[in-house]
Amino acid sequence: MPTALPTALITGATSGIGAAFARRLAAESFSLVLVARDEHRLEQNAAQLRLRYGVDVEVLPADLSTEEGLSGVESRLRDGVQLLVNNAGFGHPGAFLEVPVEDEVRMLKVHCEAVLRLTLAALPGMRRRGAGAVVNVASVAAFFTRGTYSASKAWVVNFSESAAAEVGDPRIKVMALCPGFVRTEFHDRAKMDTSGIPGFLWLDADKVVKEAMRDLALGKRVSVPDLRYKAIVAVGRLIPQNLAARVSARIGR
């Protein structure tokens, strides 16, 4: 009998890094489960992936800031997947004190609670099968101090490293992916002014995913794509936090 293809579930799968993961994994013959809020766009992306790569693509519309959305994705993960990519996320257009508290809580629900619950839903099946991987998309912002976004991404990094240590099985990998500025819809959706960001700091989503998959195969628990950002993170860990915060504020959120 033919061996079943591995399955990957990707949240925030309709654009940016999530869509890049979908393309990469489809090219590697993964069956896909695509999760996002926009069902029409999910269906469009799924049709393109089926046509181009000839793989099975399931769409699962879900808003991860709601209990209904989270529960639905948890249930699908308990059915079994070989790879989970927790990519869903967003930014706020205003500074910390300007953002309504309900919007801040919604960010924590998507960036933290969803990552926690979906990872915990996926890992038991991976442990039973003795193989699997979870990629939690964080950000270089995790290593700096810039409002709730960077704080939530710092949690993702710490959680991913902790989960990997708790699992304690080299066949089951948990990794935080920490890209810098990536050319996606993220900043436009958050209504962020990116005009002050130097051109050399922008990364390509497909290249970010390529490096992430390489680091995952190597068993890294934290992946920082691109030498430029590796250097930025290294310097950020050495300089005083108040100076790092001022630099972060000048470059952008």
Side-chain angles (χ1 to χ4, degrees), residues 89-92 96 104 107-108 111-112 137-142 144 146-156 179-180 186-187 192 253:
F90 60 93
H92 290 314
F96 173 61
E104 296 282 29
M107 174 177 281
L108 293 177
H111 289 187
C112 301
V137 179
S139 169
V140 161
F144 297 89
R146 184 66 179 176
T148 305
Y149 182 82
S150 66
S152 67
K153 293 303 187 180
W155 183 91
V156 171
F186 176 89
H187 300 93
M192 294 179 181
R253 296 190 301 282

Side-chain angles (χ1 to χ4, degrees), residues 65-119:
S65 69
T66 68
E67 182 60 32
E68 180 183 10
L70 265 176
S71 297
V73 182
E74 281 178 311
S75 178
R76 178 60 185 83
L77 286 167
R78 293 190 187 103
D79 290 339
V81 300
Q82 283 68 45
L83 174 60
L84 165 63
V85 180
N86 279 312
N87 170 71
F90 60 93
H92 290 314
F96 173 61
L97 294 177
E98 300 170 355
V99 178
V101 67
E102 57 268 23
D103 290 344
E104 296 282 29
V105 171
R106 186 166 63 92
M107 174 177 281
L108 293 177
K109 194 167 184 76
V110 174
H111 289 187
C112 301
E113 183 181 345
V115 169
L116 169 69
R117 288 175 56 175
L118 300 187
T119 300

Side-chain angles (χ1 to χ4, degrees), residues 13 21 99 108 117 170 189 217 223 227 243:
F21 265 109
V99 178
L108 293 177
R117 288 175 56 175
R189 288 180 175 178
S223 171
L227 288 173
L243 177 58

Side-chain angles (χ1 to χ4, degrees), residues 86-248:
N86 279 312
N87 170 71
F90 60 93
H92 290 314
F96 173 61
L97 294 177
E98 300 170 355
V99 178
V101 67
E102 57 268 23
D103 290 344
E104 296 282 29
V105 171
R106 186 166 63 92
M107 174 177 281
L108 293 177
K109 194 167 184 76
V110 174
H111 289 187
C112 301
E113 183 181 345
V115 169
L116 169 69
R117 288 175 56 175
L118 300 187
T119 300
L120 288 174
L123 283 176
M126 294 178 182
R127 295 188 74 177
R128 286 194 301 272
R129 292 186 298 274
V134 178
V135 177
N136 294 322
V137 179
S139 169
V140 161
F143 306 103
F144 297 89
T145 52
R146 184 66 179 176
T148 305
Y149 182 82
S150 66
S152 67
K153 293 303 187 180
W155 183 91
V156 171
V157 173
N158 194 307
F159 168 73
S160 300
E161 292 184 284
S162 299
E166 288 284 338
V167 170
D169 185 339
R171 299 171 301 171
I172 302 169
K173 299 168 182 175
V174 183
M175 185 184 79
L177 171 60
C178 301
F181 293 111
V182 183
R183 293 201 181 277
T184 69
E185 298 174 3
F186 176 89
H187 300 93
D188 290 337
R189 288 180 175 178
K191 299 178 182 178
M192 294 179 181
D193 179 9
T194 60
S195 59
I197 301 171
F200 70 88
L201 287 179
W202 288 101
L203 303 177
D204 173 76
D206 290 304
K207 291 180 180 178
V208 166
V209 169
K210 180 180 179 180
E211 191 159 345
M213 294 301 293
R214 184 199 65 189
D215 286 346
L216 185 67
L218 291 172
K220 292 187 178 182
R221 294 181 179 179
V222 178
S223 171
V224 180
D226 195 88
L227 288 173
R228 289 164 289 183
Y229 281 104
K230 286 180 172 64
I232 288 170
V233 169
V235 171
R237 285 172 164 168
L238 294 174
I239 64 177
Q241 278 196 332
N242 59 345
L243 177 58
R246 290 201 298 271
V247 171
S248 176

